[in-house]
Amino acid sequence: MPELPEVETVRRGLARALEGRCLERVEQRRADLRFPLPENFAGRLEGRRVVSVGRRAKYLATVLDDGMVWLCHLGMSGRMLIGKGTAPPPEPHDHVLIETDNGGWLRFNDVRRFGMMDLCSSNALGDHWLIRDLGPEPLGDEFNGISLAASLKGKRTPIKAALLDQRVVAGLGNIYVSEALFRAGISPRRLARLVQGPRAEALAVAIKQTLGEAIAAGGSSLRDYVQTSGELGYFQHRWAVYEHEGEPCPKCGTATGGRIRRIVQTGRSTYYCPRCQR
Ligand SMILES: [Zn+2]
């Protein structure tokens, strides 16, 4: 499942391919993805010029020249592919096909169809039912140690679960929660309400750093954010703790022999070092 850094890398690739371009031909090959596509979806996109490609949490928000926003979530397996010239014949799971006025093409492919697309007015994006309850953007200025401490106050769940709550911080997934808690030296089992003051500050910084470094790594490993296959985003990234169960801890492994442990919290794997994280 794409996490926020992958979605941001897809956004950058889409921005390069689409901004300023006219969507000359749009074909939808199904009436629904995870949810039904809006009425006359392809017809409403066709002929529109793309003003900008933005992102809110893991939602791609493409602003069109008629004041509408094309909202898209990649779900579990959604992929964006781009290219130039004659597009290859559509594959069975290519659900949306687009051609641009500069001879480019775009495909949305989604095998499991947990992705979604919708259209809404750009003025009303903040009120969209999928957007309105989202917490602050982790990379934005409104998210910091003080705001994080305030939203964790009184929470009796472990910090791991609290950070996966999209109302606390938007767009954070299982991998980056493990990585950020490791970086901040905070146990995933610690009660959320006990993450206050300097701990909350360290955690907010760690979240920004782990996401920022992953985005930078994705950008540098992909030419113009595009793989040779034409697929946007998605890159191999080396995690510090995620999927490193039993391996020496990168911080204390040499000095104390600390090893990464895996536990299951609310049905999801958490990786951490019991020696470094308190
Ligand atoms: Zn350690």
Side-chain angles (χ1 to χ4, degrees), residues 182 249-253 256 258 273 275-277:
F182 173 71
C249 166
K251 279 188 198 166
C252 76
T256 71
C273 173
R275 295 198 188 200
C276 295
Q277 293 177 248

Side-chain angles (χ1 to χ4, degrees), residues 1-4 7 55-60 72-75 171 173:
M1 163 155 27
E3 290 230 22
L4 191 140
V7 177
R55 179 182 60 73
R56 176 73 172 102
K58 296 206 298 182
Y59 293 89
L60 295 159
C72 172
H73 195 287
L74 300 170

